Amino acid sequence: MSRLFPDVFRNPAIRASMIAIFTFGMAGAMTAPYRSIVGIRELGLSDGLYSFLAFASAAVNVVISVLLGNLADRLGEYRSAMIGACIFGIVGYGMVYAFPSATVFIISGLLPLPIYGALNSLLFANARAAMHGMNRNDMVTANSGVRAMISLSWVLIPGITGLVLSGASSMLPAYLFAAISCLFCQGIIVFFLPKRAGTEMAAVHHLSYLGALRQVVSPRISAHIAGVALITSTLHLNDALLPLIATGAAHGALSDVGILVGIVALLEIVFIIVWSRIARKTGQMTALAAGTIIYALFLSLLGFASEPWHLYALTLLAGIGAAAIISFPITYLQDLIADRPGLGSALISVNIFASAGIGALVFAAGTWATGYSGTAMLGAVTGLSGITILGLLQRRNAVAPGDVEVQ
């Protein structure tokens, strides 16, 4: 069993973080597939207003993640911030279910839910703090395991939620289920996450909130985030392209999209663990480069798909490549501000925001200039340019942050 489950997962804080992030992922997996249906069709938001809300919500999440991460570093403990974030999740999802209206949906999306979204980086920060003193390989393995739990929630929960609500006239109960999952998450943090003394973890040099934001946007940090964001933008681009190519050029059905996404998510879980073992031998940067090249190959071939079986054949490449792209950047980004787990982990949210923006721009430019197939190939070039930037930064700095041994 020890070969299947490395010793690092016996750490109570890491184990509790893994269970907590599964319940965190449950809330998103229950609502994200139906968010546009609830907001636009059931509550009457316009397409433009919904798009603006999605952008504004992501922007608020970035600012809150940085501020909460910095606050947690100053306090030297993450439980308080995580418990507070869970409360906002319960309120944010609960208010949409209890008081369904366009106004409440907008308020929920602008404040409570972006604050709850910061729990993602806080849980990674807490796990990172628990890894203090571990070697590089164990840290990568632990982060991979925590990240795999989000993928697991997306494998299991959307289908179950869809099945439970298949005969319902409204998808609003998904928001009630999400509020309950936030309550479960809070219970795990309160009762199962080991308490740590604030003094043993507090950052030595305090940063003001503006100082924290300035550090995040500094040229040294921004250059690395740009490289990582170009790589991870390929995932956002695929999210937009796959349904369009599947139901268009590949002549598939909408049901194929759900099956394809489920298969890839399942493969991600398996290959996240495989990649962590590969990285022990090759190094994190080499493994990330290999995964990016594989995913770029997948996107390039996706542009040529003309039959449904082509898409199913490509799921293996998609799962292998995506597993590397969703797991390695976590440790890489945390290492950019290694002495502040909260602020370093907040870079995960910054990267999500930046990569979503890049993905949207590439999608807009590609579809305007060529079409869906050409956009897929443009996405492959985008990912390869990202790993090239990280490679150049590694050469310039002699040792990349992801390969620095943290003392």
Side-chain angles (χ1 to χ4, degrees), residues 1 58 67 76 90 115 182-183 195 214 289-290 300 313 326 357 378:
M1 289 293 288
L67 296 184
I90 296 166
I115 294 175
C182 294
L183 189 61
K195 292 183 179 180
R214 278 197 299 269
S300 298
I326 64 179
L378 184 59

Side-chain angles (χ1 to χ4, degrees), residues 82-391:
M82 289 191 289
I83 291 168
C86 285
I87 292 172
F88 277 100
I90 296 166
V91 171
Y93 287 116
M95 66 193 286
V96 173
Y97 173 75
F99 310 104
S101 70
T103 302
V104 170
F105 188 87
I106 291 169
I107 293 171
S108 172
L110 285 177
L111 193 63
L113 292 185
I115 294 175
Y116 174 66
L119 180 61
N120 180 51
S121 55
L122 287 170
L123 282 165
F124 276 107
N126 183 76
R128 177 59 180 251
M131 298 173 204
H132 183 72
M134 289 184 184
N135 63 44
R136 164 69 39 204
N137 292 333
D138 284 343
M139 289 170 66
V140 173
T141 300
N143 268 330
S144 297
V146 176
R147 180 57 183 82
M149 296 304 286
I150 299 180
S151 293
L152 182 60
S153 67
W154 277 86
V155 170
L156 300 175
I157 302 304
I160 295 172
T161 305
L163 189 64
V164 170
L165 299 179
S166 59
S169 58
S170 169
M171 299 306 292
L172 278 168
Y175 280 78
L176 173 62
F177 301 156
I180 294 170
S181 75
C182 294
L183 189 61
F184 283 145
C185 188
Q186 187 177 47
I188 292 162
I189 293 167
V190 171
F191 296 110
F192 296 101
L193 197 67
K195 292 183 179 180
R196 294 171 66 101
T199 52
E200 68 180 88
M201 291 164 52
V204 178
H205 303 291
H206 294 316
L207 279 178
S208 67
Y209 296 129
L210 287 177
L213 287 170
R214 278 197 299 269
Q215 185 170 4
V216 168
V217 299
S218 66
R220 185 185 74 83
I221 302 295
S222 298
H224 290 280
I225 291 177
V228 174
L230 284 166
I231 295 169
T232 53
S233 71
T234 57
L235 301 176
H236 295 281
L237 202 58
N238 179 60
D239 288 344
L241 287 171
L242 182 63
L244 297 168
I245 292 176
T247 56
H251 309 292
L254 200 56
S255 58
D256 287 316
V257 177
I259 297 169
L260 288 164
V261 170
I263 292 171
V264 172
L266 190 59
L267 288 169
E268 285 173 5
I269 296 170
V270 175
F271 284 101
I272 281 174
I273 305 302
V274 173
W275 277 117
S276 72
R277 292 177 179 272
I278 292 172
R280 286 175 174 267
K281 298 179 180 179
T282 66
Q284 185 179 226
M285 272 296 296
T286 303
L288 176 58
T292 303
I293 291 168
I294 291 170
Y295 202 75
L297 177 61
F298 154 70
L299 284 174
S300 298
L301 294 173
L302 179 64
F304 291 103
S306 58
E307 296 290 341
W309 72 264
H310 294 166
L311 301 177
Y312 285 95
L314 287 174
T315 54
L316 183 61
L317 281 177
I320 294 172
I325 292 174
I326 64 179
S327 58
F328 292 130
I330 293 169
T331 310
Y332 188 96
L333 292 166
Q334 286 177 324
D335 285 344
L336 293 175
I337 313 178
D339 59 335
R340 299 175 185 276
L343 192 56
S345 297
L347 297 181
I348 298 168
S349 296
V350 176
N351 175 64
I352 291 171
F353 178 73
S355 60
I358 292 170
L361 286 173
V362 172
F363 182 83
T367 51
W368 174 78
T370 58
Y372 299 141
S373 297
T375 304
M377 295 176 198
L378 184 59
V381 174
T382 303
L384 293 174
S385 66
I387 199 64
T388 301
I389 289 172
L390 294 187

